[in-house]
Amino acid sequence: MTDYVYAEFLHLLEKRVATHHGMMGSLEDGRLRMPYDATDGRRLTWQKTIKSLSRSIINNPSSREDCWYVAPNHSSSGTQPKTLHITKLGRDGSSGKWITARLTFVMLVPRYHEAVEARSTDFVIAHRCGHGQGEEAVCINPYHLKKVTQAQNRNDERCGYSCKALCPHKPHCIFTWKDTGLRKPCLNRKHYSSRKCRCRRRCGHRDGL
């Protein structure tokens, strides 16, 4: 298990245990239920869910700006390669399946109606790192996510080889290596700097920002 990611998930849940207790899982009384913890050892809980997600991490993140990678386990079409990661909660068929990034985003929001919106297809949970889908790795870091409308997502152009100092998006994009998921220090500066670029040739700023 990746101890760093587990500690971050646990921190988020402990901050919001009052509002998140009983959320997700099986549908009861019109609300999705999942306890924070359970003593019978059988029920699906938030504690078990974050442990499972933490064990699934395939890279070595050490900060909130790093991608937290898991291997894709789901295809949007039967003829396409797997490019998404799905977490199954409860036994309600497709209603118990969550795109994992939407589930981790719920850990950031303080109110129940915001969690319901996070599940709704009216909104897109966009990845500021640009690594929301992939055949080898998918980012599930909640700090890399933002809720936007379909229209906003279509108009939200990627920064490419730009940097946070030039990024027009709010919140700013996050720049990470695609292979390792680790942050690119120079591109994530919010201000120009005279120091030379540490990302070497691939970030596009060989002589600094």
Side-chain angles (χ1 to χ4, degrees):
M1 180 166 64
T2 304
D3 291 338
Y4 169 76
V5 172
Y6 177 71
E8 285 284 354
F9 280 147
L10 191 62
H11 171 72
L12 283 173
L13 288 182
E14 288 178 344
K15 283 177 60 178
R16 293 175 170 80
V17 64
T19 54
H20 283 49
H21 181 78
M23 289 173 54
M24 310 309 155
S26 300
L27 190 65
E28 297 177 8
D29 303 325
R31 293 166 71 94
L32 291 167
R33 305 286 183 180
M34 186 164 74
Y36 180 76
D37 205 350
T39 58
D40 59 15
R42 294 176 294 173
R43 298 181 62 186
L44 184 65
T45 67
W46 276 107
Q47 283 275 9
K48 291 179 181 178
T49 299
I50 64 173
K51 285 182 180 179
S52 176
L53 290 177
S54 300
R55 292 190 186 103
S56 300
I57 299 297
I58 59 175
N59 64 331
N60 295 294
S62 60
S63 79
R64 294 178 180 179
E65 288 204 334
D66 295 334
C67 288
W68 303 354
Y69 275 161
V70 293
N73 64 3
H74 182 78
S75 172
S76 56
S77 171
T79 61
Q80 301 295 322
K82 295 178 180 178
T83 59
L84 297 172
H85 192 276
I86 297 291
T87 297
K88 183 170 174 55
L89 302 177
R91 299 179 179 179
D92 298 325
S94 60
S95 66
K97 294 180 180 178
W98 281 69
I99 294 176
T100 304
R102 287 181 179 267
L103 178 64
T104 60
F105 180 77
V106 165
M107 298 182 196
L108 284 177
V109 298
R111 290 179 289 274
Y112 184 82
H113 75 86
E114 292 177 295
V116 174
E117 289 180 351
R119 182 74 184 275
S120 171
T121 55
D122 293 335
F123 294 93
V124 176
I125 305 302
H127 285 71
R128 297 160 58 198
C129 57
H131 298 153
Q133 296 187 32
E135 294 184 23
E136 296 182 359
V138 179
C139 178
I140 62 168
N141 182 347
Y143 298 103
H144 285 199
L145 306 175
K146 61 179 179 179
K147 186 182 72 175
V148 297
T149 64
Q150 296 281 1
Q152 288 172 327
N153 191 52
R154 286 192 294 268
N155 293 328
D156 196 17
E157 297 180 359
R158 291 191 61 188
C159 286
Y161 285 136
S162 185
C163 60
K164 188 171 286 190
L166 301 174
C167 175
H169 305 135
K170 300 297 181 182
H172 289 302
C173 293
I174 295 173
F175 301 91
T176 61
W177 295 113
K178 184 177 181 179
D179 53 352
T180 65
L182 304 184
R183 67 188 290 270
K184 299 179 180 181
C186 65
L187 292 193
N188 283 286
R189 295 176 187 150
K190 294 182 180 179
H191 304 285
Y192 288 102
S193 172
S194 60
R195 283 178 283 178
K196 290 186 177 181
C197 167
R198 296 179 182 177
C199 291
R200 299 176 182 170
R201 64 185 181 277
R202 284 194 289 171
C203 78
H205 294 280
R206 290 189 297 272
D207 299 319
L209 299 179

